[in-house]
Amino acid sequence: MTMISLAVRLRSRAHFSLKGNISSKPGAIIGTSVGRRNQERQRISILIAAFAVVFLVVGARLTQYGLAEPIAAASIGKSTDAFASRPDILDRHGELLATDLNMVSLYAEPRKIVDADEVVEKLATVIPDLDWRDTHRKLQSGSAFQWLRRQLSPRQQADILALGIPGIGFRPEKRRFYPGGPTAAHIVGHVNVDNQGLAGMERYIDQEGLADLRAAGMTSETPLEPIKLSIDLRVQNIVREAVARAMSAYQAEAAGAVVLDVETGEVLAMASVPDYDPNEPSRTLPDGKVDKAYENGWFNRMSNATFEMGSTFKSFTLAMGLDAGKINLNSVVDASRPIRMGGFTIKDFRGKYRPLTIPEVFQYSSNIGTAAVADMVGIAGHQAFLTRLGLLSKMETELPGVATPTQPRTWKKINSVTISFGHGVATTPLQTAVAAAALLNGGELISPTFLPRSRDEAKANAQQVIQATTSADMRYLYNRNGVMGSGRSAQVPGFHVGGKTGTADKVINGRYATDLNFNAFLAGFPMDKPRYIVLSIIDAPLTGEKGGRQAAYTAAPIVREIIGRAGSFLGVQPRFGPETAPQLLADF
């Protein structure tokens, strides 16, 4: 069989087979073709639906982004906080104590950052103390906004702009500036990085409504009227220098002083050391930790702490006896022997061990004599008198953070006796000065203020707490002690200073230390017509003038320096010549 014939036969068989299939199953090919077309249509429909969903989602997101406000620094956090202005703070003569400076802060939009490593390296050339790790973490956070550095200098801003880094920008802010640094730190206080008051009168300003204005967005570009304080910056500087010098010279843990107007209750100056610079409220050590020792300077011992004020309290005990009519200046009490009571022995430091007149009790600071006067008045009368003078309740004033005095839960006779000479009750030095002002100004208790106040305004809210004759007697005792007693250490020629020392054993962990003192000196001047109270404190001095550690050698010299340097600024003209007797109330 030839190859040609074989091919013909195979083709004919195939043709026959195909014909046989077609003829045996009619419509099979047509059905298969229709099914395939339906499957193709379904697949195309599914693809079209999927693409439609994708396009709808993308379109919706684009529409959302288009309608949303653009991300900007001002939309991050509370924008009014960063832009908020604060009023200037001035002293009573218009000298600037605090003001706002216009600053800028550096921020980043991490989503726009291409190379975080490069950005960190470039910024470090302008900001030497930049935290590389923290900055790198912020740049790679993927968030919309991150602060990189707050409150840059104009030079730093210009240098960073010159780097041409995409994804970073600047935001205008306010920075609080205190020209006097630590001079009035505990009065003025300070703010945080968002210009919110944290302490002192800065916090008081926020509490009085500035915080509400800020929340309402009304302080961004609105100039606010300056706030004038009662303090005299010249006197404040002297007081701060005096207490800082004493703390260093007498190797003390702390010191403080206040100058108070007895007729208006205005605080003319107040300082407590150690202190701090409100321009730099916190400091960081080289190891990155917060400097806790520096932050201890925030503690204002004049109003935020209570102390047992020692023998300065004898002023109030004798005033109590005089006001109650139990004694007069000619009275004599027996101080010839110690008092034994409840397992305790009350004795005098360098006692005279003889009967003493009331002026001698004050001059020699007799614990025995003072305890006798307290016993004459009685426990209830004693507690009521100190309460009337505001020594047992929290003092009301503008300065935040005022401490509350402590006293025994139940007063017993031994409590009244020890409290009579300044042990067993702890008060703030400031309220001690306020109560002393009532002893010298005719008997009016006037709440202290750090804002200007006229005599008429003070008179309207004053409370008569002792009789005018009692006040006159107390002026006599203060003047006499300034001339003949322990007050001589604070005497300034021409200014006629009177006062009372207070040397108390320092309380440590609820126990009295035998080798450490808390000393105070409570003074008034000029004693012929007192205008000011000056109270100084010094905590745990290791030495003092003439080597003494008592108040006469440590606290009194502080008062002497303050009055000697600041007396003329306070409007008191030195007067030389024969001693003039203290004026009676009718002369005021």
Side-chain angles (χ1 to χ4, degrees):
M1 183 181 295
T2 63
M3 294 295 295
I4 296 174
S5 61
L6 180 60
V8 172
R9 290 181 64 182
L10 289 173
R11 184 181 298 173
S12 64
R13 286 181 182 178
H15 180 66
F16 175 79
S17 177
L18 180 61
K19 287 178 65 177
N21 288 336
I22 293 172
S23 61
S24 63
K25 296 181 179 180
I29 294 177
I30 295 173
T32 301
S33 177
V34 171
R36 289 175 179 173
R37 288 173 184 164
N38 290 336
Q39 290 178 356
E40 290 174 356
R41 288 194 186 100
Q42 290 176 358
R43 290 170 183 170
I44 292 172
S45 298
I46 291 172
L47 288 173
I48 292 173
F51 278 114
V53 171
V54 171
F55 281 120
L56 286 173
V57 170
V58 173
R61 294 295 290 172
L62 289 175
T63 302
Q64 180 182 359
Y65 288 137
L67 295 176
E69 294 183 3
I71 296 175
S75 66
I76 308 299
K78 296 181 179 181
S79 61
T80 53
D81 284 352
F83 286 99
S85 297
R86 300 183 67 84
D88 287 350
I89 301 178
L90 313 175
D91 86 331
R92 65 188 302 111
H93 301 298
E95 294 294 327
L96 188 64
L97 299 174
T99 190
D100 279 345
L101 299 179
N102 292 322
M103 305 291 289
V104 294
S105 290
L106 177 67
Y107 70 89
E109 297 177 76
R111 295 175 183 175
K112 297 182 181 180
I113 298 297
V114 178
D115 188 342
D117 293 329
E118 181 183 8
V119 173
V120 173
E121 290 177 2
K122 287 184 175 181
L123 291 177
T125 62
V126 180
I127 309 173
D129 60 341
L130 184 72
D131 187 328
W132 285 49
R133 178 178 298 180
D134 184 60
T135 305
H136 192 273
R137 177 187 60 79
K138 291 178 178 179
L139 294 175
Q140 289 195 319
S141 65
S143 59
F145 178 92
Q146 288 285 344
W147 284 119
L148 298 183
R149 178 58 65 93
R150 305 292 291 272
Q151 299 178 346
L152 294 172
S153 68
R155 176 62 182 271
Q156 288 176 314
Q157 180 189 17
D159 290 345
I160 293 174
L161 285 172
L163 296 175
I165 304 173
I168 66 171
F170 298 92
R171 181 182 181 184
E173 289 192 300
K174 302 289 185 182
R175 178 178 180 178
R176 202 62 164 165
F177 176 61
Y178 305 91
T183 301
H186 288 122
I187 296 176
V188 177
H190 64 275
V191 300
N192 63 12
V193 71
D194 290 319
N195 228 22
Q196 298 170 324
L198 295 184
M201 295 301 289
E202 291 281 27
R203 185 178 176 189
Y204 168 77
I205 292 170
D206 277 16
Q207 292 174 341
E208 288 299 298
L210 183 64
D212 295 334
L213 290 176
R214 180 189 295 112
M218 298 176 63
T219 60
S220 296
E221 299 297 334
T222 306
L224 300 174
E225 286 294 323
I227 293 178
K228 186 172 288 189
L229 303 186
S230 62
I231 70 170
D232 186 322
L233 185 57
R234 302 167 300 177
V235 180
Q236 177 67 32
N237 185 61
I238 291 170
V239 170
R240 198 251 174 191
E241 286 183 354
V243 297
R245 185 179 294 110
M247 176 181 165
S248 175
Y250 304 148
Q251 303 170 43
E253 292 181 10
V258 61
V259 179
L260 182 76
D261 188 315
V262 302
E263 295 184 348
T264 65
E266 294 172 295
V267 176
L268 278 299
M270 186 177 75
S272 171
V273 292
D275 54 14
Y276 69 104
D277 186 347
N279 292 302
E280 187 184 13
S282 299
R283 286 181 181 173
T284 304
L285 298 171
D287 60 2
K289 296 181 180 179
V290 175
D291 188 348
K292 294 296 184 181
Y294 178 76
E295 288 190 354
N296 286 339
W298 290 8
F299 189 41
N300 177 11
R301 288 165 173 80
M302 299 304 294
S303 63
N304 299 153
T306 60
F307 303 95
E308 294 190 352
M309 297 299 293
S311 293
T312 59
F313 251 56
K314 291 172 183 173
S315 306
F316 308 121
T317 305
L318 295 187
M320 174 180 68
L322 291 166
D323 206 59
K326 301 297 183 179
I327 58 172
N328 58 51
L329 295 182
N330 296 318
S331 299
V332 176
V333 295
D334 185 10
S336 60
R337 64 179 66 88
I339 300 174
R340 290 177 175 82
M341 184 182 300
F344 296 94
T345 300
I346 311 300
K347 57 184 180 180
D348 287 343
F349 179 72
R350 297 175 182 172
K352 300 302 178 182
Y353 302 105
R354 61 175 175 81
L356 300 175
T357 64
I358 294 304
E360 287 178 326
V361 169
F362 198 70
Q363 177 183 346
Y364 299 132
S365 198
S366 172
N367 295 335
I368 300 171
T370 309
V373 173
D375 189 44
M376 295 177 194
V377 175
I379 298 172
H382 192 179
Q383 188 175 14
F385 184 79
L386 295 184
T387 300
R388 194 159 74 241
L389 286 181
L391 289 168
L392 301 183
S393 56
K394 186 176 180 180
M395 176 179 59
E396 293 184 3
T397 188
E398 301 87 6
L399 210 61
V402 173
T404 301
T406 61
Q407 61 174 310
R409 287 182 177 270
T410 302
W411 281 47
K412 299 178 180 179
K413 188 171 183 178
I414 185 62
N415 301 123
S416 179
V417 166
T418 58
I419 290 169
S420 73
F421 50 80
H423 286 76
V425 161
T427 64
T428 67
L430 178 57
Q431 71 186 129
T432 304
V434 171
L439 301 186
L440 303 184
N441 69 4
E444 296 179 338
L445 183 65
I446 303 171
S447 62
T449 181
F450 292 86
L451 299 173
R453 179 194 283 163
S454 68
R455 174 59 181 145
D456 290 340
E457 291 171 338
K459 188 78 173 176
N461 296 312
Q463 300 177 29
Q464 192 76 29
V465 291
I466 62 174
Q467 301 173 61
T469 53
T470 302
S471 180
D473 288 344
M474 292 309 301
R475 291 197 295 274
Y476 171 81
L477 293 177
Y478 265 66
N479 184 65
R480 185 177 189 276
N481 198 49
V483 175
M484 303 173 60
S486 59
R488 290 175 295 178
S489 299
Q491 195 59 250
V492 180
F495 287 99
H496 306 284
V497 181
K500 182 71 186 77
T501 52
T503 301
D505 293 333
K506 181 177 173 66
V507 179
I508 301 177
N509 298 325
R511 295 181 177 273
Y512 291 107
T514 58
D515 57 345
L516 292 175
N517 298 333
F518 178 84
N519 299 336
F521 189 81
L522 184 54
F525 83 104
M527 283 313 304
D528 56 331
K529 186 178 179 182
R531 292 180 56 187
Y532 301 101
I533 288 288
V534 183
L535 171 66
S536 66
I537 63 170
I538 186 160
D539 191 1
L542 299 182
T543 186
E545 288 188 350
K546 302 178 182 179
R549 293 190 295 111
Q550 292 78 27
Y553 306 108
T554 55
I558 297 175
V559 171
R560 183 181 65 218
E561 179 179 351
I562 291 172
I563 295 176
R565 295 178 58 191
S568 58
F569 291 133
L570 293 169
V572 179
Q573 298 299 321
R575 179 176 46 77
F576 301 94
E579 187 70 26
T580 302
Q583 295 185 9
L584 298 177
L585 180 66
D587 298 324
F588 272 74

